[in-house]
Amino acid sequence: MDFAITFKGDISPERTVALAKQAEVGGFKYAWFFDSHVLWRDCYVMMALCMANTSTLKYGPLVTNPGVREWSVAASIFAALSVQSGNRFEVGLGRGDSSRRMLGKKPMTVANMVAFADAIRGMVRGDKVEYDDTEAEFPWANGYEMPVHIAAYGPKALKAAGEAGDGLVIQLADPGLVRYFSSQAIEAGEAAGRDMSNYQIMSAAPVWVGDMKKAREQTRWFPAMVGNHVADIVEKYGMDSPDIPQSFTAYIEGRKGYDYHEHADKDAEHLDFITEDIVDSFGILGPVEAHVEKIKELEAAGVTQFNIYLMCGEEERIVAEYAEHVIPHFQ
Amino acid sequence: MDFAITFKGDISPERTVALAKQAEVGGFKYAWFFDSHVLWRDCYVMMALCMANTSTLKYGPLVTNPGVREWSVAASIFAALSVQSGNRFEVGLGRGDSSRRMLGKKPMTVANMVAFADAIRGMVRGDKVEYDDTEAEFPWANGYEMPVHIAAYGPKALKAAGEAGDGLVIQLADPGLVRYFSSQAIEAGEAAGRDMSNYQIMSAAPVWVGDMKKAREQTRWFPAMVGNHVADIVEKYGMDSPDIPQSFTAYIEGRKGYDYHEHADKDAEHLDFITEDIVDSFGILGPVEAHVEKIKELEAAGVTQFNIYLMCGEEERIVAEYAEHVIPHFQ
Amino acid sequence: MDFAITFKGDISPERTVALAKQAEVGGFKYAWFFDSHVLWRDCYVMMALCMANTSTLKYGPLVTNPGVREWSVAASIFAALSVQSGNRFEVGLGRGDSSRRMLGKKPMTVANMVAFADAIRGMVRGDKVEYDDTEAEFPWANGYEMPVHIAAYGPKALKAAGEAGDGLVIQLADPGLVRYFSSQAIEAGEAAGRDMSNYQIMSAAPVWVGDMKKAREQTRWFPAMVGNHVADIVEKYGMDSPDIPQSFTAYIEGRKGYDYHEHADKDAEHLDFITEDIVDSFGILGPVEAHVEKIKELEAAGVTQFNIYLMCGEEERIVAEYAEHVIPHFQ
Amino acid sequence: MDFAITFKGDISPERTVALAKQAEVGGFKYAWFFDSHVLWRDCYVMMALCMANTSTLKYGPLVTNPGVREWSVAASIFAALSVQSGNRFEVGLGRGDSSRRMLGKKPMTVANMVAFADAIRGMVRGDKVEYDDTEAEFPWANGYEMPVHIAAYGPKALKAAGEAGDGLVIQLADPGLVRYFSSQAIEAGEAAGRDMSNYQIMSAAPVWVGDMKKAREQTRWFPAMVGNHVADIVEKYGMDSPDIPQSFTAYIEGRKGYDYHEHADKDAEHLDFITEDIVDSFGILGPVEAHVEKIKELEAAGVTQFNIYLMCGEEERIVAEYAEHVIPHFQ
């Protein structure tokens, strides 16, 4: 089990660097960044700064999308960060949620996302890549085979993640749902003839070590955020689709609007409809023992990387608790 | 007189950082980067790495353009680098030459460039900015008034640089031509009612300290590159336009094709038409005394920043010669 | 009230750097290091590494002594670290406890300590300084007026600290005892005609945020260590001296041997004689509210710097708790 | 052939770091520092700073001696720097010249130097080491087998270097003298039954790339400095000893006083007696071709590391010339 943290991008550069170093010496393997350039500072120049201050931690966007940067522009950033860091760079990829919506645009299609994954891997490797009516080749690429982890909840995206991704990103920490989603991706990959034995399954979620009441307050924004994706899926496949588990959709029935200006904000005003059950199941809450136990369940469900959404407050303490009391149980 | 270096982007990250540090301790004030993301590594993540290893040196693209990155994406990078570095970031801006042409596209219009300058300054400052059918506001902006230096040769661009720029970038080191171009920008600014007393004039050119024969070999690529811009201007305004000095256009009469894959490459094969006179006049060549003398002439012509295009070989020695023998004459 | 951490020197270089950065962004002003070069790694080259990775945090030994390094050798280190860091270096000074005893030697005299303080301040400043039969002058000194904080418990050392120190270091966090010791130093300084209005009073002690039972286990080593100094004082002045408060001496009556190989070690075997009262009074233990309250009392007793002996376990969490819940109450 | 630079310690910390980085990316393997703590800043905290800014360059004093720091104090610094840098630390050792003389003391004996070499290697490795009436053991040592290179000119010291050193340091670049000295060390080692096949021979000397007149001006201080050692040897063994080559001693006949305050200073006033022949033979001067040629001769004479005394001016240019024009001939 690898451990990771994810930065939203609202923490000062100095504090982000300090947290990255703390995580590295504490046994974490990855630091991911939300890629939503209007809401938060550009994440790539921040990764470059963190890379300069660490030596083993890997970095990447979680998630970027095909619709915000011209593809060769995106690939040039990815390849440059790979060269700068000794290939300590990977990509988390989705269809484009907040960063597109903040510019008044819709998420991209699954097919477009897959084409983008292939294009950026090719350009980073050094291939001549054609896309749209353009072709691009980086004479300076270093041949790196950059992993692309695809975020998915819906049937189509899960199939694509299994067929075209190096890993699957599941934004919640419910072992049952993780198994439900990951099995679809793995089956799709196997059906396509891929060897899925090294396929990566990431569970990404907020955590809180401590009192349950406070824990729920600090993490309730998360099911609300996931609710956006659920709403998209329900809109597309219907509330009663056999492809979508009831436990996943039921909670959004009470959902009203969602304000993207308060995206991933623990004090947002659109959180009313979330029940305690959902909060408890989507994240990991309570004393350190509860964290160890639930991550063991996630491991049994196939998870290879547990990724803390580090944006619920007391971030240094949370990293310290995991380094001291949780990660040692998985080594 | 401020001194600057410009990186093309083909030097390894480690060597780029070492050169930036050498330049900083040697008295240089700026390190600029070509922004041409297919030909060379993304320059912004490289700036972030250099910023992390220096404390006073300022950075920026020289030049970026309005047509490669969605405007809020560009502005988010600029604002993030400003926040990360304590506002050690400025922008050099043009209409888009190699980075656009490498994707098979034409440079943008002057009007578009000016609108972009306003938009990025606004977003970096923290304003709500409208452009196209979008609006964007960075809640995390720090209020920095980011200078934008506009690169221009042609009458329209020079007028725009004077009216809308914080400075003018002139890609050659001929004092007469510098005066010819800069006076147009300054007059345009004054005509628009601006106080031009702090207006910045940058002369950017390759240099070679040493033997003249080798000096010409190492810098002949530069007039060829400038020739692209001259050809554009001649095409637009005609060879005999009173607005264009003969000394500037004459040399391109023998020009044939230009291969952008060998852009700013001292060994390119499209260099035949360049005469010695042009090579000598566009850069600074010869013993250190000749450099001091010509920069004094540039200073007299109004130049406030002399910027070495650091891509002619023996880069560490060139920076050392300037730090030791040239810069002390201007302090 | 300034906040500080003190490293013992047993934490890996990477983790020490990460903790220093965490402390700096968390609002701490100083990072001190035990100077005991056999028990732990040389602290000065570690400070140099931490300085390179921070920008405002100040550093120094706590404490060094006059008897381990030839005086010009010590002063050259101090002056070099001052030059390297922009004068982010101060000295904590004592008569030599563990670092001397580990080499089978006794602590130095108070007079010797004062002469050393004058000599190192002089050499760091750039003066020609005579000591023993030697004189030394650093042609490269930068004129820095380096503060020297003197650690003292006994009457003679307290007098010297007031007369010759820029501050007093008191290794415990009992407000009554702090006031008892500091008043002696301040009175001695005033009697010598010094302006004591900017005199610094540091209270240095271990802390534990959390459950009291665990808190006592993690910090019980500290009164044992302080006991060495108490024993010295009692041996010199007698158990019933009116100059020594009973509360300070009573606890060592049950003391047996002390093994310097387990110096400042929370699992040492010489801890039996320490009562809960003493543990509670010498450090700060319990929930964050108790820490805020006791530091307010210390502030009322004249303390200007509270210094955490960061060697009781869960160091990252302790720094995080102070940054999040304690330091903000003093800003 | 490994290449090295040696810093005197008078260059600012920022510039020293920049030079170390430049040297590292330019192909140099070692950066040595004079250890003379009164004349120049303490070299060890400067090494720590350089280590933090480089990743492969090795560091060490050239030379330290047994008489300036208590042995466990010295060994704690060496072991701590080894731990901090991933064992990028070695020691150059002599009997104590300027750092002892500046405190009015004589160099130590050869026997004492050998005992020191054994003691520091033992303590750095983690052994319990006895010396004088003390014993010390670092519980935190990492087992590193630290090489000790011994500087020698006289018969006794050369014998000791061969018997007890991991390498020999010869402070001049005359191939004949290098062979003369190194053969004595190697024979002594073989006579003692050691396998000398990996024995290191370092030639350390100033260089100047450029005009011969200026080259002689910039490097004439060096034979003067070496003259101190020659004078010691001549005093001990007599001018006509068969053990000392005439070419080595002849030049000091005109020597008068030597002012240690101008040690290694190119503008010192005690340089009059040095002839051009000696200057040319002790360093490497002239165009880059002459450097390549002479280093080839040194290589043929058994030299494994050529070490530039980087203190003759234009240091950045000298490093650049070697990186560009000399080192590539030895790879």
Short mmCIF file of all heavy atoms in Angstrom, two decimals, chain B residues 75-99:
data_model
loop_
_atom_site.label_atom_id
_atom_site.label_comp_id
_atom_site.label_asym_id
_atom_site.label_seq_id
_atom_site.Cartn_x
_atom_site.Cartn_y
_atom_site.Cartn_z
N ALA B 75 -2.45 33.24 -17.24
CA ALA B 75 -2.40 34.17 -16.11
C ALA B 75 -2.23 33.43 -14.79
O ALA B 75 -1.58 33.93 -13.86
CB ALA B 75 -3.66 35.03 -16.09
N SER B 76 -2.79 32.22 -14.68
CA SER B 76 -2.65 31.46 -13.44
C SER B 76 -1.19 31.05 -13.24
O SER B 76 -0.67 31.09 -12.11
CB SER B 76 -3.54 30.21 -13.47
OG SER B 76 -3.47 29.51 -12.24
N ILE B 77 -0.52 30.68 -14.31
CA ILE B 77 0.93 30.38 -14.22
C ILE B 77 1.68 31.63 -13.77
O ILE B 77 2.51 31.58 -12.86
CB ILE B 77 1.47 29.92 -15.59
CG1 ILE B 77 0.83 28.60 -16.02
CG2 ILE B 77 2.99 29.78 -15.55
CD1 ILE B 77 1.15 28.20 -17.45
N PHE B 78 1.39 32.76 -14.42
CA PHE B 78 2.13 33.99 -14.12
C PHE B 78 1.91 34.42 -12.66
O PHE B 78 2.85 34.80 -11.95
CB PHE B 78 1.71 35.14 -15.05
CG PHE B 78 1.88 34.84 -16.52
CD1 PHE B 78 1.20 35.60 -17.48
CD2 PHE B 78 2.71 33.81 -16.96
CE1 PHE B 78 1.35 35.34 -18.83
CE2 PHE B 78 2.86 33.54 -18.33
CZ PHE B 78 2.17 34.31 -19.26
N ALA B 79 0.67 34.36 -12.24
CA ALA B 79 0.35 34.79 -10.88
C ALA B 79 0.94 33.82 -9.86
O ALA B 79 1.44 34.23 -8.81
CB ALA B 79 -1.16 34.90 -10.70
N ALA B 80 0.90 32.52 -10.17
CA ALA B 80 1.46 31.53 -9.24
C ALA B 80 2.97 31.71 -9.11
O ALA B 80 3.52 31.65 -8.00
CB ALA B 80 1.13 30.12 -9.71
N LEU B 81 3.65 31.94 -10.23
CA LEU B 81 5.10 32.17 -10.15
C LEU B 81 5.41 33.46 -9.39
O LEU B 81 6.40 33.54 -8.67
CB LEU B 81 5.71 32.22 -11.56
CG LEU B 81 5.87 30.86 -12.24
CD1 LEU B 81 6.32 31.02 -13.69
CD2 LEU B 81 6.87 29.98 -11.48
N SER B 82 4.55 34.46 -9.54
CA SER B 82 4.75 35.70 -8.79
C SER B 82 4.62 35.44 -7.29
O SER B 82 5.46 35.88 -6.49
CB SER B 82 3.75 36.77 -9.24
OG SER B 82 3.92 37.05 -10.62
N VAL B 83 3.56 34.71 -6.91
CA VAL B 83 3.37 34.41 -5.49
C VAL B 83 4.54 33.58 -4.96
O VAL B 83 5.08 33.85 -3.88
CB VAL B 83 2.03 33.65 -5.29
CG1 VAL B 83 1.93 33.11 -3.86
CG2 VAL B 83 0.85 34.57 -5.59
N GLN B 84 4.95 32.56 -5.72
CA GLN B 84 6.02 31.67 -5.25
C GLN B 84 7.35 32.38 -5.05
O GLN B 84 8.17 31.96 -4.25
CB GLN B 84 6.24 30.54 -6.27
CG GLN B 84 5.26 29.42 -6.14
CD GLN B 84 5.50 28.27 -7.11
OE1 GLN B 84 4.55 27.63 -7.52
NE2 GLN B 84 6.73 28.00 -7.48
N SER B 85 7.59 33.43 -5.84
CA SER B 85 8.93 34.02 -5.89
C SER B 85 9.02 35.38 -5.21
O SER B 85 10.06 36.03 -5.31
CB SER B 85 9.35 34.18 -7.35
OG SER B 85 8.54 35.15 -7.99
N GLY B 86 7.97 35.83 -4.54
CA GLY B 86 8.00 37.19 -4.03
C GLY B 86 8.00 38.21 -5.15
O GLY B 86 8.75 39.18 -5.12
N ASN B 87 7.19 37.95 -6.17
CA ASN B 87 7.02 38.86 -7.32
C ASN B 87 8.29 39.05 -8.14
O ASN B 87 8.49 40.11 -8.74
CB ASN B 87 6.47 40.21 -6.85
CG ASN B 87 5.07 40.08 -6.28
OD1 ASN B 87 4.37 39.10 -6.55
ND2 ASN B 87 4.65 41.04 -5.49
N ARG B 88 9.10 38.04 -8.21
CA ARG B 88 10.26 38.08 -9.10
C ARG B 88 9.89 37.53 -10.47
O ARG B 88 10.53 36.63 -11.01
CB ARG B 88 11.42 37.27 -8.50
CG ARG B 88 11.99 37.89 -7.25
CD ARG B 88 13.26 37.18 -6.80
NE ARG B 88 13.02 35.90 -6.19
CZ ARG B 88 13.67 34.77 -6.48
NH1 ARG B 88 14.62 34.76 -7.40
NH2 ARG B 88 13.39 33.66 -5.85
N PHE B 89 8.83 38.07 -11.05
CA PHE B 89 8.33 37.57 -12.33
C PHE B 89 7.80 38.71 -13.17
O PHE B 89 7.03 39.54 -12.68
CB PHE B 89 7.22 36.53 -12.09
CG PHE B 89 6.72 35.92 -13.36
CD1 PHE B 89 7.41 34.89 -13.98
CD2 PHE B 89 5.56 36.39 -13.96
CE1 PHE B 89 6.96 34.33 -15.16
CE2 PHE B 89 5.10 35.84 -15.15
CZ PHE B 89 5.80 34.80 -15.75
N GLU B 90 8.22 38.78 -14.42
CA GLU B 90 7.70 39.75 -15.38
C GLU B 90 7.45 39.02 -16.69
O GLU B 90 7.87 37.88 -16.85
CB GLU B 90 8.70 40.91 -15.56
CG GLU B 90 9.01 41.61 -14.22
CD GLU B 90 9.85 42.87 -14.34
OE1 GLU B 90 10.18 43.28 -15.48
OE2 GLU B 90 10.19 43.44 -13.28
N VAL B 91 6.76 39.69 -17.62
CA VAL B 91 6.42 39.01 -18.86
C VAL B 91 7.00 39.76 -20.06
O VAL B 91 6.89 40.98 -20.15
CB VAL B 91 4.88 38.89 -19.01
CG1 VAL B 91 4.48 38.52 -20.45
CG2 VAL B 91 4.35 37.85 -18.05
N GLY B 92 7.62 39.00 -20.95
CA GLY B 92 7.95 39.49 -22.29
C GLY B 92 6.90 38.94 -23.24
O GLY B 92 6.58 37.75 -23.18
N LEU B 93 6.37 39.78 -24.10
CA LEU B 93 5.20 39.38 -24.90
C LEU B 93 5.38 39.73 -26.38
O LEU B 93 5.86 40.82 -26.71
CB LEU B 93 3.96 40.11 -24.35
CG LEU B 93 2.63 39.86 -25.05
CD1 LEU B 93 2.21 38.41 -24.94
CD2 LEU B 93 1.55 40.77 -24.44
N GLY B 94 5.02 38.79 -27.23
CA GLY B 94 5.03 39.05 -28.66
C GLY B 94 3.76 38.51 -29.29
O GLY B 94 2.84 38.09 -28.58
N ARG B 95 3.74 38.46 -30.64
CA ARG B 95 2.52 38.01 -31.30
C ARG B 95 2.52 36.51 -31.55
O ARG B 95 1.52 35.94 -31.98
CB ARG B 95 2.34 38.77 -32.61
CG ARG B 95 2.12 40.27 -32.37
CD ARG B 95 1.73 40.98 -33.65
NE ARG B 95 2.77 40.83 -34.66
CZ ARG B 95 2.59 40.32 -35.89
NH1 ARG B 95 1.38 39.95 -36.27
NH2 ARG B 95 3.59 40.22 -36.74
N GLY B 96 3.66 35.84 -31.21
CA GLY B 96 3.68 34.38 -31.39
C GLY B 96 4.40 33.99 -32.64
O GLY B 96 3.83 34.06 -33.73
N ASP B 97 5.64 33.60 -32.44
CA ASP B 97 6.43 33.26 -33.62
C ASP B 97 6.62 31.74 -33.62
O ASP B 97 5.72 31.00 -34.02
CB ASP B 97 7.76 34.02 -33.51
CG ASP B 97 8.68 33.76 -34.68
OD1 ASP B 97 8.19 33.76 -35.82
OD2 ASP B 97 9.88 33.53 -34.44
N SER B 98 7.72 31.26 -33.11
CA SER B 98 8.04 29.84 -33.26
C SER B 98 7.01 28.94 -32.59
O SER B 98 6.65 27.89 -33.13
CB SER B 98 9.44 29.55 -32.72
OG SER B 98 9.48 29.74 -31.32
N SER B 99 6.51 29.33 -31.41
CA SER B 99 5.63 28.40 -30.70
C SER B 99 4.32 28.21 -31.46
O SER B 99 3.71 27.15 -31.43
CB SER B 99 5.37 28.85 -29.26
OG SER B 99 4.49 29.92 -29.21
#
